[in-house]
Amino acid sequence: MKVTPGLFDIQVNGFAGVDFNDESIEAEMLDFALEAMLKTGVTCCLPTLITASGPVLIRRFQALDKAVTGSKLGALMVPGYHLEGPFLNPAEGYAGCHPPQDMLAPDIRLIDDIEKGLSRPILLVTCAPEFDASGAFVRALTERGKRVAVGHSSVGYAQLQEAVEAGLSLCTHLGNGIPQTLPKLDNTLQAQLSCDALDACFIADGLHIPPFALKNLLRAKTLARSILVTDAMSAAACKNSGMYSFAGVKVELADDGTVRQPGASNLAGSSLTLDQAVRNLVHWNIASFDEAVEMASAHPGRVMQKAMVHHSQIRPESRVVWDDNNAVIECHIASGISRRYN
């Protein structure tokens, strides 16, 4: 047996049949999803809402926040939220499953409008810095104590450096949210890999990035600056393939674990769990168990620490017990919540 700190998923759109982007989400539904996440060793998470129009985003955040406030596990497991969009690149290949018609130019006023009345803050914002020429948006977010990530972006090397100087600190699901075809060397993927000031998140499901390519990306970014995320949507931890809801659209979970809008070629989130991401890195001989756990626990905690302190949010002490096959068998949170599995 091995004992580690609890895992921290900073990009999760839904889980166990529950869509965090659903305006009808309730406390009981959120508790069901969080309980299922505990079973995978996740003791802290940032529920992630994706691109929508301003009014829809406001309603979705209000519904999610009400569910968090009324839930039993929300107070312990949800210190805040991740907004992935709508300040992204709407061009084909960069937009991914995000609706390009709802994408907007960077506007700090929308962030302020969304947060009015919320019990918890937006701690992380993913945006495309190429539309923030002066760096004013990234700077304003940073001044509000938020972490800012680049994602779904075509930003080049020079402007990326300017965004970093303004406060950019993270790459969202690096290797994804970009077209299949790019210039050989002078492209946003190479720019983000080369920037030592940026930590980077990776979806280690073997579907978003082939394992051999993930190995190369992690070598370039280094394990010390890498974070495991799931980018999970409501199909994660569900046994049955078929149709699921994701931010107002229907997506299909295939038998191989891929999630797509019917007829689309690009992926729409994942069905990955964070404990499986840890096991995958070990199985693919990319990282040791301890290294993989650090990428799913200590590293996201370090990256989010400044924002959490600024907003007076605390990540609770927690521990996870794993068996010899790297499966979670116990999960404990400091408040006395304890679960045993298997």
Side-chain angles (χ1 to χ4, degrees):
M1 291 194 306
K2 293 157 285 194
V3 180
T4 73
L7 308 184
F8 186 2
D9 195 347
I10 63 174
Q11 186 179 11
V12 53
N13 311 283
F15 208 80
V18 179
D19 181 10
F20 298 154
N21 291 257
D22 186 353
E23 290 180 40
S24 65
I25 191 171
E26 297 180 351
E28 294 77 9
M29 299 163 64
L30 182 68
D31 269 328
F32 183 84
L34 294 177
E35 191 72 57
M37 292 176 73
L38 281 177
K39 194 173 183 178
T40 68
V42 173
T43 58
C44 192
C45 67
L46 300 184
T48 303
L49 300 195
I50 70 166
T51 299
S53 68
V56 171
L57 278 174
I58 290 171
R59 293 198 301 270
R60 287 178 178 174
F61 269 103
Q62 288 174 341
L64 175 60
D65 191 68
K66 183 178 179 181
V68 171
T69 301
S71 68
K72 297 177 182 178
L73 292 173
L76 289 171
M77 295 179 64
V78 181
Y81 310 116
H82 178 176
L83 174 59
E84 186 189 1
F87 315 111
L88 308 178
N89 192 321
E92 185 176 356
Y94 294 105
C97 70
H98 292 245
Q101 68 274 12
D102 289 327
M103 292 184 185
L104 305 171
D107 186 353
I108 195 64
R109 294 172 299 179
L110 179 57
I111 303 294
D112 294 337
D113 288 344
I114 290 172
E115 285 194 309
K116 288 178 182 177
L118 297 186
S119 68
R120 280 166 175 69
I122 296 172
L123 292 174
L124 175 61
V125 177
T126 294
C127 65
E130 60 266 34
F131 301 114
D132 183 32
S134 67
F137 182 66
V138 171
R139 194 171 294 108
L141 289 169
T142 303
E143 289 172 352
R144 285 162 170 76
K146 306 184 188 308
R147 285 301 197 186
V148 191
V150 52
H152 295 273
S153 168
S154 66
V155 67
Y157 180 80
Q159 192 171 2
L160 183 66
Q161 303 309 306
E162 295 173 359
V164 168
E165 291 179 7
L168 191 77
S169 60
L170 188 64
C171 306
T172 290
H173 54 47
L174 188 57
N176 298 108
I178 54 177
Q180 292 290 336
T181 302
L182 292 168
K184 182 171 65 174
L185 296 175
D186 188 3
N187 61 61
T188 189
L189 176 59
Q190 294 290 345
Q192 293 178 55
L193 282 173
S194 73
C195 183
D196 293 343
L198 294 176
D199 289 83
C201 300
F202 296 95
I203 307 169
D205 60 358
L207 302 170
H208 281 75
I209 307 172
F212 70 87
L214 179 61
K215 185 175 185 178
N216 291 336
L217 295 177
L218 289 172
R219 279 176 171 172
K221 182 51 71 175
T222 76
L223 298 186
R225 289 191 287 267
S226 296
I227 294 169
L228 295 181
V229 296
T230 62
D231 195 21
M233 44 74 65
S234 59
C238 294
K239 296 180 179 179
N240 298 324
S241 59
M243 304 302 294
Y244 290 84
S245 295
F246 182 20
V249 300
K250 291 295 183 181
V251 297
E252 185 173 11
L253 172 65
D255 291 337
D256 65 356
T258 57
V259 182
R260 292 184 171 91
Q261 295 183 43
S265 59
N266 58 282
L267 298 169
S270 86
S271 60
L272 180 67
T273 62
L274 204 50
D275 61 330
Q276 186 60 52
V278 168
R279 287 191 292 272
N280 285 344
L281 286 196
V282 176
H283 177 69
W284 297 332
N285 294 315
I286 293 176
S288 69
F289 173 78
D290 289 340
E291 289 170 332
V293 168
E294 285 190 352
M295 293 166 63
S297 179
H299 295 186
R302 168 180 53 78
V303 167
M304 296 309 305
Q305 178 66 18
K306 185 176 181 180
M308 292 174 68
V309 168
H310 179 92
H311 292 284
S312 301
Q313 298 296 317
I314 299 172
R315 182 183 174 193
E317 294 289 332
S318 61
R319 62 186 174 93
V320 176
V321 181
W322 309 71
D323 67 15
D324 293 336
N325 295 315
N326 299 333
V328 174
I329 55 177
E330 293 181 27
C331 195
H332 307 268
I333 304 180
S335 66
I337 291 179
S338 179
R339 302 288 188 270
R340 181 171 180 84
Y341 310 107
N342 300 330

